[in-house]
């Protein structure tokens, strides 16, 4: 039976780890702070006292931590993952980090003789609970196939995007599209409302044609409820668009619409909405146009 | 039994008129050139020899012609609609025309003592055939309710968007969103492909998350097939974004992302793709970035 | 001696007409309202009681009125310019109007058998007083040369830009550049101030290098004085950028930076600064970034 | 007499060092490769065999090297500047580097007990030869005043922009404005030419009004001569706009026009013009619009 170590029990990581447990894997977890480990311990799931010990016991080690610095730390610290690695282990890096950080982590793991899969996920807490995250896997085909059952416990579908780094690039691709679409929705709603259209009617129309999608349905409902509690905050979307534009500059793809979208998220941050859900990108535009999309 | 006159038997109008016939209305049709009337005549549908005569026989007159000039002509010409109007008739203007043109047509009809509904539709030939166009109705509630059965024969849903002119504004709203979304998809695909991602994988990922919608599914498939035959051409999308930006300027809504999208469609026109499907907005970007999205 | 009729004694037209008088031409003026004619009458300059009478007495008729509708009216009204025209007269249209309006006016004048020069000017009231407006002349070379002395009394330099309509196109060209440059200055100043730089230092640096120009010197001083009294208002600059983008769309030139500039002026209008000098384009950005460029 | 060490004898550094010599300072130079030192040695100027030895002999040490990595290396290497520093020395960092790199260099120098001025320059090789670079000094007022005579030998004016780091921020400010202005000129020229205007006439008009500046005069002449030899290449302008936008995102200033300008330079790089002068930003637009600005 495959033993899966899971490091990082945050809002996303916790339900992902439970899904591994539900799928019948032998699971061992680790979190930097112990409070998030407690429910697992109470349910009889193994808890390791360091990344090193977790790694030594695991066939596959999943990392789901906050950012690239956290990935580097959990690998390189004393009693870190690298200390416990050998050639029988595969590290599956699932945190959303930069391309360069992915490649650096992959190199450290390779130097330790182990295998590496780059597997960020697309989706928020809901899909994490339901096991329907979109898994974006980058790595050698054989390695990705070996860990596919592990990924499939958390993700549906699992898409093999190419070699190491291509999972990260796919994540940038999808978040670039997401940020553009979100701000397009914001511009359209403010334009329509200023023209005298009702939010409910605009939502109905969008939900009835070629643009009918979970994003517009969900954000439309949230805006109607004046609910900007963050599923994915303005700050993160801004960061992802900035990363995408930086990479687009490096590889020679001019993206003028995406650049405009990034500045809209920058405006939302500048106006103090960085911590709110990315739907708050419409707020500076409402202020500018002196209209509220969800009034009656 | 309600008699419905239908003027304009083009690619959209023809299936819309058939749907009226199928729904059991007493239908009379007119087209500027007679060849498009022929199949109706052969099937026993009445054909009028002028808009005036069509109007005299109809309770409801639907207009589905090419543009604002054609609407003005069919109303004002000798033996035109206005010549046949009286207070028992309702004119339902379904062509996509400018807001000012809508208001001018409404005024002419009101001066003739008749009732007017502004009802452009969202959707292409497929939904026109299936009767699933999104009907965007503007007019007094009572009048819209009276003609709702007529609209429902061609459209599902029928959304009452407000007074006269609001159907047109809703059309601008939805096409603004459509143009932004299409170009966002183009930028994302070129970015992703230049990064080494495969088109199929990008389509799978987009189809698996919050952005899963008919637009991206359909355009993704068409791009994969190198099929840029027009459902809705670059030229029309460019025109609609230009109209939306002109109106946004009038009402005080700055739309920097939409402005960037308009210039992308302008680039596609400049490069000679104006007659191709709006998905061709990705072609200038492919040329710029020296990459083909659908190569292997 | 050449008799020059001058129609339109507004803020620009009045000093222009005086310059013609100072240059020794036999001048006859007309204004729709008589109050602006009074100072000329008092100084012994001829005042006509209609455009027709002015035209009958003049070799060259200059038009400097508010917009394209005013040009059409002064030509076509009862006792209008067209009523007084014959083949010995040249009409010099100096108002800033659209390309299509220029061509329509030219056609009317040609049908009356007279000659036409399209000659909008670049510059504000200061250069109008000093006779240093930039004259942008479009028309047949021989005709432009014939009226060059007249233009030279008001303008320095006079640039022959091509056939009829090219004066108008040159005006769009220069105002497109002006609007872009103004908003670039606004973005740079807000960026710099938010970074902690002092406005005076930024002005010094801009005035010391490749960007040293009257625009930045003048607008920089006005911003420092919190003086947004209009030389050229936000509304006009917005209109000119809109006209330029409409024409760019027609001729197939995608202009993504200019499109972004237009939306910045749109934001200034939306925020209520339409009547202020175009330098007020920086105000929405100051509000967004929560910084004042000219504080200490 | 003040002894000035000068490190970095490239295209800019060489004339700057000569200007120090001409101004009567006791100069000692160092370059990583010795060939650039040769002319100085032949003229009797001291040449140091390491940054350390140069520093030990100097009151003021000027750094004018290629980038932030080169600054770090010349400070920290064996026999580097830090090895020779003491509290009697002032380091004047004149290379164009990132804000964070400036602050890191300043900290290293401060830890060594010496004083630091951040003094990047604005201008190209011509002004470097003539001693008319714009010096953008950041540092404590007393320290900047102490080294002002040194800076004044190379720069006119020398602008004190604030504390350490503000020289670098002023450089970003001015290059942000420069990039916007350059691309505005490109968009205007392509628009005008496609409209049928002649380049010479457009240059005359720009040179006659509020936009008359060395940048447009110089780039206009170069474009007319089809001369895209680099004074300041597309790649550098792209890098500077990217740095400015990154910093604008950090400090909360949305810059949508600048973002559009950056993508225009990105397009020029993507099309292969990265090494050409920044005026080549017009080339992709010429290709898109199928027009050549400088044809006849």
């Amino acid at each position: 039976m495959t033993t899966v170590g899971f490091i990082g029990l945050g809002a996303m990581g916790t339900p992902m780890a439970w899904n591994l447990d539900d799928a019948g894997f032998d699971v061992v977890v680790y979190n930097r702070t112990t409070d998030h480990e407690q429910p697992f311990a109470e349910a009889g799931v193994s808890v390791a006292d360091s990344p090193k010990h977790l790694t030594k016991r695991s066939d596959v080690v999943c990392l789901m931590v906050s950012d690239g610095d956290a990935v580097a730390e959990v690998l390189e610290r004393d009693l870190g993952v690298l200390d416990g690695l050998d050639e029988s282990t595969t590290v599956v890096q699932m945190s959303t980090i930069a391309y360069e950080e992915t490649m650096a982590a992959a190199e450290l793991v390779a130097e330790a003789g182990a295998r590496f899969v780059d597997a960020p996920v697309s989706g928020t807490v809901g899909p994490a609970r339901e096991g329907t995250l979109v898994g974006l896997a980058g790595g050698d085909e054989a390695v990705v196939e070996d860990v596919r059952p592990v990924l499939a416990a958390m993700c549906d579908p699992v898409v093999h995007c190419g070699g190491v780094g291509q999972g990260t690039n796919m994540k940038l691709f999808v978040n670039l599209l997401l940020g553009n679409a979100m701000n397009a929705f914001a511009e359209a709603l403010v334009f329509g409302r200023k023209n005298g259209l009702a939010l409910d009617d605009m939502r109905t129309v969008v939900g009835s044609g070629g643009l009918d999608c979970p994003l517009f349905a969900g954000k439309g409902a949230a805006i109607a409820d004046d609910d900007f509690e963050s599923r994915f905050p303005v700050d993160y979307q801004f960061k992802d668009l900035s990363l995408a534009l930086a990479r687009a500059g490096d590889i020679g793809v001019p993206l003028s619409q995406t650049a405009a979208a990034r500045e809209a998220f920058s405006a939302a941050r500048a106006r103090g909405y960085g911590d709110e859900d990315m739907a708050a990108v419409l707020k500076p535009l409402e202020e500018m146009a002196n209209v509220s999309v969800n009034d009656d």
Side-chain angles (χ1 to χ4, degrees), chain A residues 6-15 17-18 28-43 45-48 64-66:
Chain A
F6 198 96
I7 299 178
L9 300 170
M12 293 291 287
T14 293
W18 282 122
V28 49
V29 300
Y30 173 81
N31 196 63
R32 199 166 40 116
T33 56
T34 55
D35 50 335
H36 290 197
E37 297 169 338
Q38 194 64 26
F40 289 90
E42 287 167 6
V45 175
S46 300
V47 175
M64 188 65 188
V65 295
S66 56

Side-chain angles (χ1 to χ4, degrees), chain A residues 55-197:
Chain A
T55 303
K56 280 186 122 22
R57 290 178 49 188
S58 302
D59 303 299
V60 175
V61 176
C62 297
L63 308 184
M64 188 65 188
V65 295
S66 56
D67 58 24
D69 288 344
V71 168
E73 212 238 321
V74 85
L75 289 173
E76 302 184 70
R77 55 170 269 198
D78 276 354
L79 304 176
V81 169
L82 295 181
D83 290 339
L85 274 187
D86 61 39
E87 56 273 12
S88 70
T89 323
T90 305
V91 173
V92 180
Q93 200 306 101
M94 307 187 77
S95 329
T96 295
I97 64 178
Y99 181 81
E100 289 75 13
E101 293 166 339
T102 299
M103 302 314 280
E107 197 175 328
L108 289 171
V109 169
E111 284 167 1
R115 305 191 305 174
F116 185 88
V117 172
D118 159 43
V121 295
S122 181
T124 51
V125 173
R129 286 195 191 114
E130 294 152 22
T132 57
L133 293 165
V134 184
L136 309 171
D140 286 344
E141 183 149 17
V143 184
V144 170
E145 291 313 309
D146 279 356
V147 299
R148 188 179 280 275
V150 172
L151 290 169
M154 301 175 280
C155 305
D156 181 21
V158 173
V159 182
H160 182 203
C161 304
V164 169
Q166 293 304 70
T168 296
N169 279 333
M170 186 64 92
K171 185 79 194 282
L172 277 185
F173 158 82
V174 73
N175 281 8
L176 181 161
L177 187 53
L178 200 68
N180 264 284
M182 182 68 242
N183 191 50
F185 195 44
E187 290 201 352
L189 291 176
V190 174
F191 170 73
R193 188 72 198 95
K194 186 84 179 187
N195 257 328
L197 300 171

